[in-house]
Amino acid sequence: MLTVNEAKSIGISACINKLGYEFCKEHADNATSGYSEEDGFVNCFVGINDKPVNEYDISKVTQLILTSGIKWQYSARCNVSIIDGTVEFTECRIPD
């Protein structure tokens, strides 16, 4: 049985590897990751934009913008079993 932190680490790493480690490293300034816990699984997400998103002029932002407002050009989402560490991808938009 894994801890939530162990499962999160496995899941975020799996998402990064799915998108491509070098691609993720190159665009780390325009990336995000997150996780949630539910029913014996840890749901992990990595989102990346390789071009600037002009939707928001950051100099005019006066409130917090959550990532649900941003359309990630590339993303991977997976569920990691806390029981055995099995990874199942549920979403994937991979760069060409």
Side-chain angles (χ1 to χ4, degrees):
M1 187 139 200
L2 302 174
T3 66
V4 171
N5 280 336
E6 290 169 331
K8 175 183 79 168
S9 180
I10 289 169
I12 297 295
S13 293
C15 289
I16 288 170
N17 289 333
K18 188 78 160 177
L19 294 170
Y21 177 80
E22 290 301 321
F23 178 80
C24 291
K25 187 175 168 183
E26 181 181 345
H27 300 289
D29 288 344
N30 288 317
T32 191
S33 66
Y35 74 98
S36 64
E37 201 183 335
E38 46 188 277
D39 298 330
F41 290 91
V42 174
N43 180 281
C44 299
F45 174 84
V46 173
I48 295 180
N49 287 329
D50 65 349
K51 297 178 185 79
V53 177
N54 295 325
E55 187 173 345
Y56 304 107
D57 178 351
I58 199 68
S59 67
K60 296 179 182 174
V61 172
T62 59
Q63 61 186 355
L64 176 66
I65 299 173
L66 299 176
T67 58
S68 63
I70 297 173
K71 305 294 186 242
W72 296 102
Q73 294 163 328
Y74 305 102
S75 63
R77 181 183 308 272
C78 69
N79 290 322
V80 180
S81 169
I82 292 176
I83 295 170
D84 62 7
T86 303
V87 176
E88 179 184 340
F89 285 95
T90 58
E91 173 188 337
C92 198
R93 284 183 271 164
I94 300 174
D96 295 330

